[in-house]
Amino acid sequence: MRVIETLPYEVRTEDHFWIPMSDGVRLAGRAWLPVSAELEPVPAVLEYIPYRRRDLTAVRDSTHHPYIAGHGYACVRVDMRGSGDSEGVLTDEYLEREQQDAEEVLAWLAEQPWCDGSTAMMGLSWGGFAALQVAARRPPSLGAIAIASFTDDRYNDDFHYMGGCLLSDNLAESGTTFAFGTCPPDPMTVGDRWRDMWLERLEANRPWIIKWLHHQRRDDYWRHASVIENPERVACPVLAAGGWADGYSNAVLRVLEHLEAPRRGLIGPWSHRYPHLGLPGPAIGYLQEVVAWFDRWLKGERNGADEGPALWAWMQDSVPPATSYEDRPGRWVSADRWPSPDVERTRFALGPHRLFASEEFTPPEDEDPGGPLTISSPLTVGQFAGKWASYNAPPDLPYDQREEDGGSLVFETEALREPVEILGAPVVDLEVSVDEPVAMVAARLSDIAPDGSATRVTFGLLNLTHRNGHGEPEEMPPGERRRVRIVLNGVAQRFPAGHRIRLSLSTSYWPLAWPPPRPVLLSVHPAGSALDLPVRPVPEGEDANARPFGEPETTPETPTFRKELPDHRWEVHRDLVDTRSSLEIVKDGGIMHLEEIDLDVGRRAHEHYESVAGDVTSARGETSWTMRFSRGDWHTRTETHTALECTEAVFKVYGTLDAYENGERIFSRQWSETIPRDHV
């Protein structure tokens, strides 16, 4: 990482200003501007998120906004309505009002004396969502976007309902948004109104998962703001980035395939982070790429940013299983377009616990030799799955899959005679039957080393009632065969010679995904099933040492010091007396002091998932957050808690919210809601 002190443009900061919305609400902004912009206006770059520009994202913002501003842009961070110091309330994600606000912010920016009338958006996660969603609305000033860790499909390819299965991250992220939506604004910015604004937020909020559980199938709620519905609406150029360790990697490939606007894709080995801060490494000079992209499309420079491969992807080498990696060995590979003609779909037939390349296997005349293979997985399958989206802290990548495979159906190749590389999404076609009308299948692809260790490469989930689509689930007729297709997450992976490729199938994957309402016996009919891999032959003359990106560059971080050290834990527990298993996750950031605004900030998240062997209705998850903000004699704290339980017929949500000022509780509320299960 190279920290840049001197940039082409001298930069000044406007710490706070108000942006008026058409309904009278004001949003709070912060800007980094070239000193010369008042006389020589520049394009404006907006990052629009709800994660508090003055404190909780201040350190990260200080590493990239001054950098981009120092290359001739007015960089602006705006707190979404109801977050940070902005007025109003924040009670759900990607609402119509949120996007209207963004359009109005862009129009306001374009009219400022330091802006030349053109704008761009950039962002990670919610910021990436927001930029792509706003681009589909075609605001007149928007000339380009640069997005990372995003999706275009809010239902199936977000933390909600992967393959129609309810993800535990649906609960975990509800805890995050509930916590952020109930934090107070800063009196230093908003003045004496801060308490009234805080109470308005506290009154308006409730656990966000309640809303999400009322929409268990893909309906208009999820179709709204899912750009996959109308990708042709995006007209401005898109620089799209993602990471193989993140939950958000598939959308980069879909953007390349379905958008008509100029686009370029970057996928590294990273978790849920900007690529210049990417872990696992190697991180790249992402900010240089962003500047070049904006220079090309907002300043009209012929700098080659729109030339060359459509996709750069990190081809990951084989590694031993671990819950975190500092770096992932591999190399950069490219594709001139996506889908790439260089990727060949290679089909592997399923035999009894074996995978056969098509040319190695001729199905016998008997349609189903030996009968079907069956599995009813224990609820402990999934305890070493890691998080749906890795944040690389605490260690949250999947561990050795051998124990998981003990409760799964396993199909495996012989030792490979030569390396195999895949790039894209593996697909599993299965002919199955089940003994219950609601069932799921988790499919995992692993790299098996000669010593037997199993490193998960990618995975996919399918709620079998969603086999014909997510809009209208259909029960599985017990005992009847059905053909289903499971699309695994896209990946780039090299399997070395001497290793084996393993496909594992299980009927549960808890706690990553919520188990079905009753235990399920799954029968797989191998003769009607196959694994389809996107094999990428290594082109002759390909340079394994090619480095298409520069070293990561940033500007200096805003000054901070720690008053309390962080505490991160990730623990699996099993009690063999009552056969209870649990996963405990603690993410405690300690207390950080921001010197520029003399503010102490603390946040602690605790997640707990448990179940009792053989009892799928014992599955329970809970998430708790504590948020602290202090300065002088001003001390505030919010404590939020959400728990999710189930029976065969319903989900039960419990929530609490308590807010404290100077140690005295000023607000308290509880929730208890029962929501019918809808084919989940």
Side-chain angles (χ1 to χ4, degrees):
M1 178 75 69
R2 187 163 55 220
V3 178
I4 306 299
E5 302 278 356
T6 303
L7 296 162
Y9 289 77
E10 184 182 355
V11 176
R12 67 180 180 88
T13 303
E14 288 191 16
D15 186 60
H16 171 71
F17 50 87
W18 293 111
I19 304 176
M21 298 292 100
S22 57
D23 64 353
V25 166
R26 297 182 302 171
L27 305 187
R30 186 182 192 190
W32 296 260
L33 308 165
V35 171
S36 59
E38 295 285 355
L39 298 177
E40 300 175 355
V42 296
V45 178
L46 170 65
E47 185 174 17
Y48 175 64
I49 51 178
Y51 299 128
R52 302 181 62 93
R53 77 204 189 290
R54 276 171 55 83
D55 41 58
L56 295 183
T57 67
V59 174
R60 189 187 73 182
D61 291 350
S62 67
T63 68
H64 63 257
H65 284 304
Y67 182 96
I68 296 172
H71 286 83
Y73 293 89
C75 284
V76 180
R77 259 285 282 114
V78 172
D79 288 334
M80 287 180 178
R81 176 183 297 246
S83 69
D85 296 324
S86 289
E87 297 172 349
V89 296
L90 177 70
T91 59
D92 200 1
E93 54 186 9
Y94 318 129
L95 299 177
E96 175 66 18
R97 182 70 248 185
E98 172 190 318
Q99 291 158 36
Q100 290 178 16
D101 286 351
E103 291 185 274
E104 293 182 25
V105 169
L106 291 173
W108 185 89
L109 293 175
E111 294 174 355
Q112 298 312 298
W114 35 259
C115 180
D116 67 3
S118 61
T119 64
M121 292 183 73
M122 68 174 294
L124 170 86
S125 196
W126 197 322
F129 278 75
L132 186 64
Q133 292 164 0
V134 171
R137 300 169 74 96
R138 299 188 176 184
S141 70
L142 188 63
I145 62 175
I147 53 181
S149 295
F150 69 98
T151 189
D152 56 350
D153 184 348
R154 293 182 54 211
Y155 179 85
N156 183 53
D157 200 25
D158 196 0
F159 56 73
H160 296 290
Y161 294 97
M162 181 180 183
C165 299
L166 173 64
L167 295 173
S168 63
D169 269 22
N170 200 53
L171 172 64
E173 292 304 318
S174 166
T176 303
T177 51
F178 188 29
F180 275 78
T182 51
C183 290
D186 190 339
M188 180 181 285
T189 303
V190 305
D192 293 339
R193 298 183 307 126
W194 76 270
R195 187 179 291 102
D196 291 338
M197 292 173 65
W198 189 22
L199 288 171
E200 181 185 18
R201 296 176 184 183
L202 296 170
E203 288 283 355
N205 258 279
R206 66 175 185 162
W208 290 28
I209 193 174
I210 294 174
K211 166 76 78 172
W212 299 339
L213 283 175
H214 278 290
H215 299 274
Q216 295 172 43
R217 60 180 71 186
R218 185 184 177 88
D219 56 15
D220 287 342
Y221 174 81
W222 301 111
R223 284 189 282 268
H224 168 73
S226 285
V227 174
I228 194 174
E229 296 287 326
N230 301 105
E232 72 282 353
R233 287 291 304 162
V234 178
C236 70
V238 178
L239 176 63
W244 299 130
D246 192 8
Y248 300 103
S249 58
N250 300 315
V252 174
L253 300 179
R254 286 197 300 271
V255 159
L256 296 180
E257 181 174 1
H258 297 299
L259 263 60
E260 298 172 2
R263 64 256 187 222
R264 185 181 177 208
L266 314 172
I267 311 179
W270 317 302
S271 58
H272 196 72
R273 300 165 68 99
Y274 272 120
H276 62 289
L277 305 172
L279 286 172
I284 65 169
Y286 176 68
L287 296 183
Q288 298 95 298
E289 300 296 317
V290 171
V291 168
W293 191 253
F294 291 159
D295 284 349
R296 171 65 187 91
W297 299 112
L298 277 75
K299 296 181 178 180
E301 295 183 6
R302 296 289 179 179
N303 57 9
D306 56 333
E307 301 170 1
L311 172 68
W312 280 104
W314 185 253
M315 180 62 68
Q316 300 176 127
D317 283 343
S318 177
V319 290
T323 56
S324 67
Y325 301 95
E326 189 69 25
D327 291 285
R328 282 298 301 261
R331 72 186 194 283
W332 289 104
V333 300
S334 64
D336 292 334
R337 63 181 185 275
W338 192 265
S340 171
D342 297 328
V343 174
E344 303 171 357
R345 305 302 303 197
T346 301
R347 202 160 179 84
F348 289 79
L350 271 60
H353 306 293
R354 292 284 307 281
L355 287 174
F356 300 90
S358 299
E359 65 273 11
E360 300 174 347
F361 180 66
T362 302
E365 293 182 6
D366 184 346
E367 180 187 344
D368 214 357
L373 302 173
T374 60
I375 188 70
S376 183
S377 302
L379 284 176
T380 51
V381 173
Q383 283 199 309
F384 300 120
K387 270 288 192 180
W388 173 81
S390 168
Y391 289 80
N392 216 63
D396 52 10
L397 293 172
Y399 192 50
D400 195 321
Q401 297 292 287
R402 280 180 284 192
E403 184 167 347
E404 310 278 59
D405 289 341
S408 309
L409 277 181
V410 171
F411 303 87
E412 195 168 274
T413 66
E414 295 286 354
L416 300 174
R417 297 189 184 95
E418 57 186 28
V420 173
E421 294 186 355
I422 61 173
L423 174 59
V427 175
V428 181
D429 290 311
L430 295 177
E431 186 175 1
V432 300
S433 56
V434 290
D435 64 345
E436 292 289 340
V438 179
M440 66 170 285
V441 177
R444 309 188 308 279
L445 196 70
S446 297
D447 170 23
I448 310 303
D451 66 0
S453 59
T455 303
R456 197 189 74 192
V457 170
T458 184
F459 76 102
L461 306 176
L462 179 63
N463 178 340
L464 295 182
T465 71
H466 288 233
R467 63 195 179 278
N468 296 321
H470 300 304
E472 298 292 337
E474 305 170 42
E475 290 187 350
M476 286 283 287
E480 295 186 17
R481 295 190 190 186
R482 290 291 185 269
R483 292 188 179 275
V484 301
R485 168 166 282 209
I486 307 172
V487 180
L488 280 59
N489 289 327
V491 72
Q493 178 70 37
R494 178 182 177 89
F495 298 88
H499 285 221
R500 290 165 287 153
I501 299 173
R502 176 181 294 172
L503 171 67
S504 307
L505 306 175
S506 60
T507 59
S508 65
Y509 208 37
W510 170 253
L512 190 142
W514 208 269
R518 293 174 60 88
V520 173
L521 181 68
L522 171 74
S523 298
V524 175
H525 303 268
S529 305
L531 168 67
D532 189 312
L533 292 183
V535 175
R536 179 185 182 273
V538 180
E540 204 170 312
E542 182 170 86
D543 183 3
N545 298 311
R547 288 181 53 85
F549 305 106
E551 182 182 352
E553 294 182 350
T554 68
T555 41
E557 292 185 355
T558 190
T560 64
F561 63 84
R562 293 282 181 184
K563 289 190 171 181
E564 292 182 12
L565 294 177
D567 175 26
H568 298 314
R569 296 197 302 275
W570 185 289
E571 299 173 352
V572 172
H573 302 276
R574 290 183 181 168
D575 187 335
L576 297 183
V577 175
D578 66 0
T579 66
R580 185 177 304 273
S581 300
S582 65
L583 172 64
E584 202 87 20
I585 303 170
V586 174
K587 295 180 285 187
D588 187 342
I591 301 293
M592 180 177 67
H593 182 77
L594 294 160
E595 295 184 15
E596 288 185 347
I597 58 174
D598 188 29
L599 184 72
D600 290 343
V601 178
R603 52 180 167 176
R604 183 183 192 274
H606 173 220
E607 297 174 44
H608 177 88
Y609 306 95
E610 66 176 34
S611 62
V612 175
D615 182 3
V616 292
T617 61
S618 68
R620 186 179 193 277
E622 55 185 310
T623 176
S624 302
W625 277 76
T626 301
M627 308 286 279
R628 303 171 186 268
F629 302 91
S630 301
R631 179 190 295 112
D633 59 1
W634 177 71
H635 303 278
T636 64
R637 182 173 89 251
T638 58
E639 296 179 353
T640 53
H641 177 80
T642 309
L644 180 60
E645 299 177 353
C646 68
T647 67
E648 291 183 9
V650 301
F651 289 111
K652 297 179 180 180
V653 179
Y654 305 98
T656 61
L657 166 60
D658 293 285
Y660 299 84
E661 180 185 351
N662 296 333
E664 179 182 350
R665 186 165 64 180
I666 64 163
F667 186 91
S668 182
R669 183 161 294 171
Q670 298 180 347
W671 292 265
S672 177
E673 187 151 342
T674 298
I675 303 165
R677 296 177 76 147
D678 181 9
H679 296 82
V680 172

